[in-house]
Every structure is written in structure tokens, then in C-alpha cells.
Amino acid sequence: MKKYTYALPLRWADADAYGHVNNALFPRYMEEARTRMFQEMLPTDEAGRRQHAFVVSRSVVDYRAPLSYREEPVDVHVRVVSCRGARLELAYEIRDADQLYAEATTLMAAYNLETGRPRRISQAELDFLSRCTES
């Protein structure tokens, strides 16, 4: 797997008065896809998740085309751009087969919520993330 794809269903409430998905929701779509990708990597217990968290330190979204509300889901592709130390960079595309709606990146820090401090990315996490890394 070189990228993770999540088919995101749109909600009627996501649309503005013009029938377009509000651009403020695109980071939420990215979060949803990223969270689902991380489910396989992160511990299942609450204490483990708190000790092996990732927090967003920067997010940039380039909007390419309006996304109109529709019944069909939109695909959110996630791939790892770089990963080392305590830093993780992810890239996203929000698209369907014919149209790119947005491209984005997030910088994330591996973080221990219990201590309130950054942590190093573990070898198990690096192994998982390497499956989603650009060539």
C-alpha cells in the first residue's frame, strides 16, 4: 500500500447555500481519513493511545475545485511524505476519478499526552508508515 484511501460519505449538512461543501470541512475530511488509517497502527486501549498520540502542528490546504453535495462518497487519499524522529508529514488528495477538489499537507508531531511532551516515533509505527510512503 503506497497510499491509504477512504471513501468519505458527504452529509447534507456539509453543503452551503449554493450546494457546495464548505471549504472549512476539508481539514475534517483529512482528519477522518488519517484517523482511519492510524487505527491499524495505534494501540487499542485508551492509555496506549494517549502515550502514542500524534498532534497536528501545521496544516495547509490548496483548494482546486468546488465540491458539490452528492450521494456518492468522495475519496480522500493519504500518503506519508516523510517520517523521522518525532515528525511526520502527510499529503492528501480529496478527489474522485475525474476531479481533484483539494490537495493538502499536515505536519504532525508524535506526542505523549500523559507527559505533555513530544516523543520519538516507534519502530512499529515507522514500519507501518513505511507502507504508506511515497517512492
Side-chain angles (χ1 to χ4, degrees):
M1 154 171 81
K2 289 296 181 188
K3 66 181 173 186
Y4 174 83
T5 300
Y6 175 58
L8 181 93
L10 301 177
R11 300 173 309 155
W12 175 251
D14 293 350
D16 61 20
Y18 303 108
H20 298 124
V21 171
N22 188 300
N23 63 352
L25 294 171
F26 282 49
R28 184 177 296 163
Y29 293 171
M30 295 159 34
E31 176 186 42
E32 183 71 25
R34 177 178 68 242
T35 300
R36 293 189 182 256
M37 181 179 93
F38 281 8
Q39 281 179 336
E40 186 178 327
M41 176 182 68
L42 296 177
T44 57
D45 63 293
E46 180 65 22
R49 283 193 306 272
R50 292 187 58 76
Q51 293 171 4
H52 295 92
F54 286 86
V55 295
V56 174
S57 59
R58 182 170 189 237
S59 188
V60 176
V61 180
D62 293 315
Y63 300 94
R64 302 296 185 204
L67 172 58
S68 297
Y69 172 78
R70 62 193 192 194
E71 295 288 323
E72 300 81 28
V74 65
D75 288 333
V76 183
H77 302 291
V78 185
R79 67 184 183 285
V80 175
V81 176
S82 66
C83 179
R84 66 174 180 261
R87 183 178 169 195
L88 171 63
E89 182 178 3
L90 299 175
Y92 308 81
E93 288 184 350
I94 299 174
R95 66 173 310 121
D96 55 30
D98 301 323
Q99 182 68 53
L100 175 64
Y101 301 105
E103 295 177 290
T105 58
T106 54
L107 293 179
M108 304 190 75
Y111 203 78
N112 183 324
L113 296 171
E114 294 297 327
T115 64
R117 299 187 50 82
R119 63 175 181 83
R120 294 196 65 78
I121 298 171
S122 73
Q123 187 59 51
E125 291 166 332
L126 288 170
D127 293 343
F128 174 83
L129 294 166
S130 71
R131 296 183 358 215
C132 305
T133 301
E134 292 181 320
S135 300

